Amino acid sequence: MRTDFDPDALGAGRFYQFLTQVIVPRPIAWVVTRSADGVDNLAPHSFFTVASTDPPIVQFTSVGEKDSLRNAEATGEFTVCLTPEKLIEEINATATDFPADESEIDATGLTREPSSRIATPRIAESPVALECRLERTVPLGNCTIVLGRVVHAVVDSDALVDGRPDARRLAPIARLGGSEWSTLGEVRKTPRIRYEEWPGHFSGAASEGLPSS
């Protein structure tokens, strides 16, 4: 038995709630932008992912017209910082609807750190920062996709294992639905299966003509 959810019948607001309950967990872009007047904005955006690897481009979605969007378009740059578990209260606080002339960085007592390639600062307490130049924005319905080319990245040295960022040491948090957040939880390694090594024990493998072990 399944329960149906019709976007047209529910309306945009209620279906938005449904989408954020089922598309989980969502990584968070903690976006730093600077307004044309020099005010630094900091806001979490949980519609966030990699858009391209070559060139390296990340994207976040502004639901409505937020300060992050306006500032990125005004200055042509932004910084994406990782959201560590230890800062969950500060991260949540930066989602508060502050006036555009007030900085969430100052309100939450966080520390600015100069970026290497752009004028917009990084958050010193965050273990990862991606410095981005605005590639383009794409209006889509009531949202805008913001694409930024990563021109520089930094990671706390103690978060590296064998020269690579380690998820356990980064300890990121993610968004769920409503007021729910999640931590990293158990980390499992499951190598991708090569076609030549296909085990053949999955249901339907024989009928699909897949090789068996």
Side-chain angles (χ1 to χ4, degrees):
M1 180 177 179
R2 291 177 177 266
T3 301
D4 296 320
F5 289 83
D6 186 336
D8 294 330
L10 287 175
R14 288 184 62 193
F15 200 71
Y16 167 83
Q17 295 174 351
F18 171 80
L19 287 176
T20 56
Q21 289 284 158
V22 298
I23 301 177
V24 292
R26 299 187 305 281
I28 303 167
W30 209 10
V31 179
V32 185
T33 57
R34 177 168 285 176
S35 73
D37 295 328
V39 179
D40 294 328
N41 178 270
L42 176 61
H45 294 266
S46 69
F47 295 172
F48 167 59
T49 191
V50 176
S52 169
T53 59
D54 187 13
I57 294 175
V58 296
Q59 71 177 65
F60 71 90
T61 297
S62 175
V63 181
E65 187 176 333
K66 305 287 181 62
D67 289 337
S68 299
L69 170 62
R70 287 190 290 265
N71 294 347
E73 290 184 323
T75 65
E77 61 182 43
F78 59 90
T79 302
V80 174
C81 297
L82 182 134
T83 50
E85 181 180 348
K86 65 183 180 181
L87 296 179
I88 186 170
E89 297 297 334
E90 289 86 348
I91 296 160
N92 182 58
T94 60
T96 300
D97 188 19
F98 282 92
D101 60 352
E102 292 186 29
S103 174
E104 292 83 356
I105 301 176
D106 297 329
T108 53
L110 293 164
T111 309
R112 293 171 178 80
E113 177 181 77
S115 290
S116 297
R117 298 282 301 278
I118 63 176
T120 303
R122 310 186 295 235
I123 299 301
E125 290 84 354
S126 173
V128 177
L130 308 176
E131 300 175 16
C132 303
R133 290 203 175 96
L134 183 66
E135 187 76 9
R136 66 176 67 98
T137 57
V138 182
L140 194 63
N142 68 335
C143 298
T144 302
I145 299 171
V146 182
L147 296 146
R149 182 182 295 228
V150 181
V151 296
H152 191 76
V154 293
V155 182
D156 284 356
S157 298
D158 59 7
L160 301 176
V161 174
D162 297 329
R164 296 183 178 184
D166 182 82
R168 297 175 187 84
R169 296 190 181 190
L170 293 175
I173 56 171
R175 285 288 283 122
L176 304 176
S179 298
E180 296 177 332
W181 305 64
S182 70
T183 55
L184 191 60
E186 180 185 2
V187 177
R188 298 175 54 179
K189 283 190 176 181
T190 307
R192 184 173 299 181
I193 303 171
R194 291 167 52 88
Y195 184 78
E196 295 80 6
E197 299 170 350
W198 185 259
H201 62 261
F202 294 101
S203 175
S207 64
E208 295 170 8
L210 297 175
S212 58
S213 56

